[in-house]
Amino acid sequence: GLPLAGRPMRKRAMKKPGRGKRLLVTVAAVLLLLVGSVYLIHRVELNREASLLTPMGELVKVEGHTMSVYTAGEGERTLVFLSGAGTCSPILDFKSLTDLLSEDYRVAVVEKFGYGFSEDPVRGRDLETVLEDTRAALEAAGLEGPYVLCPHSMSGIEALYWAQTYPEEVEAIIGLDMAVPGHYEEMRVSLPLLRLGQLGARLGIARLIPSLAESDAIRFGTLTGEEQDIYRALFYKGTATGAMLREAAAIRESARLAGEGEVPQIPMLFFLSNGVGTGFDTEAWRQIAGDYLAQVREWWRVELDCPHYVHDHQYRFISWEIKSFLNWFGA
């Protein structure tokens, strides 16, 4: 029949993409281009910086992988420095202090797997494994105990466990704002956030914020211009490594294990910061450390009005106090 009057047939118009969707696609494309450009620049810079990365210590083999051990000085006692979590260049981080102490003692800095000039193998970072790797590295480097352990931050847990497990190897502990088991009872480690940081480091996004590479050792220590460049190169090469993330994931269990052991009854000297950089306020950070130290028979406690990396801020004063402490207990 005839079509109905007043109701003409109409073609259905095709919908065009919305303006919001087009904008989203454009932004995503621009971001992808920017990230790709940053990554390419990062790779070029890593190749350029590779010439700076000549190992500063001895490279030894531990479980088939390379670990870096730096030594300096001579003396009857060996001071072993253990870095805090995420310190990308332990040798240079401690150097302002170890340079002063090497005048009277043999000093050693062990760079754990994933740190400094050491390899970053896929290897467990539980407390027992970390300790055995450190001991093996020192043995391979020809260094024998007993040692005076000088841990910073998280390595305080390793130092305490070392003294508990092998008491004949540890004659004293000098804590450079070191952590004790109580610090980790309430602490929560955000692994997703750490993995995000690792991704950003691998893409080179950290280069967009140059201040991130300016460590306290660079800003406040005695590093030469060349040493500062090496530190920055190690930062861009080795920030948030796989070993660092596995170590962080295991730290609460590691602290629990060290906390279950008896408090080592050896001389201890604790340098305590003002808490800045620890995640604790001044009173809480010092109180937890002080409560642990109070269980030791022979101890010194020195409070410093500076941030967490105390050895980069107060290295001259700390060196003097360490020498006084070692003379006091006969070391």
Side-chain angles (χ1 to χ4, degrees):
L2 296 175
L4 297 176
R7 298 180 60 184
M9 299 289 290
R10 295 181 180 178
K11 292 183 179 180
R12 182 173 297 174
M14 294 184 64
K15 292 185 178 179
K16 296 182 179 181
R19 184 174 298 176
K21 186 176 181 180
R22 291 198 304 272
L23 179 62
L24 186 62
V25 171
T26 301
V27 170
V30 171
L31 286 176
L32 187 61
L33 180 62
L34 286 175
V35 171
S37 300
V38 169
Y39 178 71
L40 288 176
I41 294 172
H42 178 53
R43 299 308 303 179
V44 170
E45 288 297 301
L46 287 179
N47 288 333
R48 183 185 65 81
E49 293 160 353
S51 61
L52 294 169
L53 300 182
T54 301
M56 301 182 70
E58 180 181 358
L59 298 181
V60 301
K61 287 292 183 180
V62 174
E63 296 296 324
H65 301 285
T66 301
M67 281 184 71
S68 165
V69 181
Y70 171 84
T71 59
E74 297 291 337
E76 295 182 359
R77 293 294 181 269
T78 300
L79 280 57
V80 176
F81 288 78
L82 306 169
S83 68
T87 301
C88 61
S89 180
I91 291 173
L92 291 173
D93 181 58
F94 286 124
K95 198 168 188 298
S96 298
L97 178 58
T98 55
D99 278 354
L100 296 174
L101 292 171
S102 64
E103 298 171 359
D104 298 284
Y105 311 101
R106 172 173 289 181
V107 299
V109 180
V110 178
E111 296 192 312
K112 295 177 285 187
F113 284 130
Y115 288 72
F117 294 99
S118 295
E119 284 187 55
D120 183 24
V122 179
R123 181 165 169 75
R125 295 290 80 195
D126 57 276
L127 185 57
E128 297 96 326
T129 303
V130 170
L131 174 56
E132 293 308 319
D133 287 348
T134 299
R135 295 177 66 244
L138 289 171
E139 181 180 359
L143 299 174
E144 299 179 351
Y147 310 109
V148 175
L149 302 182
C150 304
H152 173 236
S153 194
M154 189 169 74
S155 281
I157 301 301
E158 180 184 357
L160 294 173
Y161 188 67
W162 195 339
Q164 293 166 347
T165 310
Y166 302 101
E168 70 283 0
E169 295 182 5
V170 183
E171 61 177 348
I173 293 177
I174 298 172
L176 300 169
D177 213 32
M178 66 176 263
V180 298
H183 285 124
Y184 293 99
E185 289 181 359
E186 302 299 329
M187 186 178 292
R188 295 290 183 269
V189 177
S190 175
L191 290 178
L193 186 60
L194 291 176
R195 292 192 182 100
L196 184 62
Q198 182 185 59
L199 176 62
R202 290 179 177 176
L203 291 174
I205 293 174
R207 290 186 187 272
L208 300 177
I209 313 174
S211 61
L212 293 177
E214 301 301 301
S215 67
D216 284 6
I218 290 175
R219 291 187 294 159
F220 304 106
T222 60
L223 301 183
T224 65
E226 182 182 6
E227 289 168 342
Q228 292 178 14
D229 288 340
I230 294 171
Y231 201 120
R232 294 185 187 101
L234 286 168
F235 172 82
Y236 290 123
K237 174 181 175 290
T239 297
T241 63
M244 291 176 184
L245 265 63
R246 289 190 293 276
E247 195 175 48
I251 186 56
R252 288 198 71 197
E253 175 60 22
S254 296
R256 184 196 62 78
L257 186 60
E260 288 179 348
E262 295 184 2
V263 176
Q265 294 304 318
I266 55 176
M268 293 190 193
L269 165 61
F270 277 20
F271 293 98
L272 301 177
S273 75
N274 58 17
V276 174
T278 67
F280 292 81
D281 61 37
T282 303
E283 183 179 359
W285 176 254
R286 291 176 175 176
Q287 182 67 48
I288 294 170
D291 288 346
Y292 190 92
L293 196 59
Q295 302 174 72
V296 180
R297 285 193 295 269
E298 298 178 318
W299 56 270
W300 284 15
R301 168 177 170 159
V302 180
E303 296 183 356
L304 303 171
D305 187 18
C306 66
H308 188 40
Y309 279 73
V310 293
H311 48 280
D312 292 324
H313 292 262
Q314 299 283 345
Y315 44 89
R316 291 188 182 88
F317 177 72
I318 289 174
S319 171
W320 185 86
E321 287 284 346
I322 287 176
K323 292 175 183 180
S324 298
F325 170 73
L326 295 179
N327 288 335
W328 167 69
F329 84 88

